[in-house]
Amino acid sequence: MPKSNAAPALSPKEQLEVLRRGVFEIASEEELLSKLTASAASGRPLRVKLGVDPTSPDIHLGHTVVLRKLRQFQDLGHQGVLIIGDYTALVGDPSGANKTRPILTEDQVNANAQTYLDQISGIVDTSSLEIVRNGDWFRDLTFKGVLELAASMTVARMMERDDFAKRWAAHQPISMHELLYPLMQGYDSLMVRADVELGGTDQTFNLLVGRQLQRDKNLSPQVTLTMPILVGLDGKDKMSKSKGNYIGVSEAPGDMFGKVMSIADELMENYFQLLTDMPEPDYRKILSAANPRDAKVALARTIVAAYHSETAASAAAEEFDRVFSRHQLPEDMPDIDVKRASLENGAVWIITLIAEAGFAATNSDARRLVAQGAVTIDDNRIEDVAAKVPLTGGEVLKVGKRRFGRIRLV
RNA sequence: GGGGAGAUACCCAAGCGGCCAAAGGGGGCAGACUGUAAAUCUGCUGGCAAUGCCUUCACAGGUUCGAAUCCUGUUCUCCCCA
């Protein structure tokens, strides 16, 4: 991705218009407009805060929705402030969680933080980004300080929060330390003097706490801008690693393409809006195409191109067409190394072959796949779990629709 | 602090001494159909070269010919009272 464009000096109103894309809610637009106006007048960029939790080293398209919004602010000449929540990660954000999250160690957090930065460098302009860790201020906060912070919130208000309320109603445990999370996040806003804070809609409560703490200190409260939660590949739940319904930004072009192709049709508009820069009239036109499949191909190409290249996107599209539409073999497939010494009379038990190729987790799993007719070698279906298959090298093992490999004798 | 309820496979949830590798649903996987969409139908869903054997019903012991089921202790959770 290109670096931030030199601000083309859009008027505050024009900026607001750009920033509105895909947004769920801005609290409030009037405040944002007046901040943008003040910024334009003074030449002081707005400080736009985004807090991230370095709990998982893999970032996926769901994370990019908010990162892309941050990028928009940067492109408009504002100052991005990224908070690595190294301390908050020690707590574990309860947002959207229906159970207490595991607490990470400091070492894990540090490792994750670095990977995180590497991965977002393609999305936001990291060179101009102000990066801070909230451990910098929390580490030295005294217990007295914690008590003061805690005194600024009541239990009743905290329990208004959707996820706490749900867990409470469902008789599920809520640990004391989880109640501190929103306060910590709000305190971050205070520390970095945020003008705007970005987050997913699941962050709404936390973002509002920041406003309250700022008001308590007689500071101008931050504008909160919430983005919709990206629905994952299953078409139902929030895209998340734990659900396994995600597309990682560092996935290979082919995987990324295929995953986009597997989303529900209804999700396409949403994905165009939140994951691409394509102007609305353009994607609307694409969506009106006769065959929804064509629109999805366009979407997949756009997304792959953004994280890889146009060339990679074209190649992925061709490969996809060849393998899944025309049912031909993929151009590249992994080698399955089989030791000559392991062959008996030049053959190998089909179950071992599948398991050792990594196409099944266990032998039992491999048996099931064979029994269900999922396994072919050079297009010959193998349905006998006791089958010994003769190998001379070069055979293609296919398990299910997407697991391919070429036998190589070593 | 006192009293009560509970912990079952990826998730929810039945089971209440042998017929339990454990009903049902969800999810997932596979097959058919297809656009790697949706919907639908079918099968599978602890491990093991496997008509059998091994490990699993929070953890550790115990009773019994036999325990997910009964007893004791431990850990954790929820509810009520204080």
Side-chain angles (χ1 to χ4, degrees), chain A residues 84-399:
Chain A
I84 304 282
D86 58 347
Y87 243 63
T88 32
L90 298 177
V91 174
D93 178 11
S95 288
N98 53 13
K99 55 178 93 167
T100 307
R101 295 193 177 183
I103 293 177
L104 297 185
T105 67
E106 284 196 71
D107 280 348
Q108 287 173 308
V109 168
N110 286 333
N112 289 348
Q114 191 49 53
T115 322
Y116 194 96
L117 285 175
D118 293 343
Q119 292 184 87
I120 67 167
S121 63
I123 303 160
V124 298
D125 175 9
T126 45
S127 64
S128 72
L129 196 62
E130 184 176 317
I131 301 167
V132 285
R133 296 182 167 220
N134 64 8
D136 294 349
W137 44 86
F138 283 126
R139 207 169 352 259
D140 298 325
L141 195 61
T142 60
F143 194 69
K144 179 164 169 277
V146 175
L147 289 177
E148 281 169 8
L149 186 57
S152 63
M153 180 62 55
T154 65
V155 172
R157 277 215 56 202
M158 197 60 80
M159 292 309 296
E160 288 169 12
R161 223 179 85 148
D162 194 46
D163 30 59
F164 284 145
K166 276 187 187 144
R167 282 162 67 184
W168 184 257
H171 303 313
Q172 283 172 341
I174 300 171
S175 297
M176 290 294 294
H177 73 277
E178 292 181 81
L179 295 175
L180 291 175
Y181 190 97
L183 287 168
M184 293 172 81
Q185 193 169 329
Y187 193 74
D188 289 343
S189 291
L190 219 48
M191 291 297 105
V192 302
R193 308 176 315 283
D195 290 304
V196 177
E197 178 163 11
L198 308 180
T201 54
D202 55 349
Q203 292 291 313
T204 306
F205 184 89
N206 296 357
L207 305 188
L208 293 175
V209 170
R211 276 168 74 83
Q212 185 190 328
L213 294 183
Q214 286 167 319
R215 269 201 220 96
D216 290 350
K217 296 279 182 199
N218 289 318
L219 297 169
S220 161
Q222 63 184 6
V223 168
T224 65
L225 190 156
T226 45
M227 298 299 292
I229 298 300
L230 190 74
V231 174
L233 302 178
D234 55 12
K236 289 197 297 287
D237 293 317
K238 169 181 177 175
M239 183 176 281
S240 76
K241 197 179 181 197
S242 56
K243 282 267 175 10
N245 60 354
Y246 69 101
I247 304 177
V249 297
S250 38
E251 285 190 54
D255 293 335
M256 203 179 252
F257 194 95
K259 283 188 176 184
V260 176
M261 290 306 288
S262 78
I263 66 169
D265 291 356
E266 300 72 57
L267 243 43
M268 285 196 279
E269 176 171 355
N270 197 240
Y271 273 42
F272 268 117
Q273 184 185 45
L274 298 175
L275 303 177
T276 75
D277 291 324
M278 194 179 288
E280 185 170 333
D282 294 8
Y283 69 73
R284 284 210 178 284
K285 192 176 166 205
I286 291 176
L287 287 170
S288 64
N291 188 346
R293 200 197 105 98
D294 297 338
K296 213 177 282 178
V297 168
L299 174 64
R301 287 183 75 124
T302 311
I303 290 175
V304 174
Y307 294 99
H308 296 280
S309 65
E310 291 290 347
T311 326
S314 298
E318 275 167 37
E319 178 81 351
F320 183 85
D321 185 57
R322 170 170 45 241
V323 178
F324 296 107
S325 302
R326 288 186 274 129
H327 302 290
Q328 294 174 3
L329 292 174
E331 195 155 68
D332 292 313
M333 56 184 122
D335 284 326
I336 302 171
D337 288 345
V338 176
K339 291 198 177 68
R340 285 178 202 278
S342 70
L343 297 179
E344 278 179 50
N345 300 324
V348 66
W349 186 33
I350 184 65
I351 302 303
T352 345
L353 181 62
I354 295 167
E356 288 187 0
F359 291 164
T362 61
N363 279 10
S364 296
D365 197 16
R367 277 169 181 275
R368 278 175 223 126
L369 289 164
V370 170
Q372 293 178 135
V375 178
T376 61
I377 288 188
D378 282 342
D379 280 335
N380 299 312
R381 182 163 296 193
I382 313 274
E383 286 181 281
D384 174 10
V385 290
K388 306 267 168 115
V389 293
L391 297 179
T392 56
E395 292 90 348
V396 173
L397 172 69
K398 185 182 177 201
V399 176

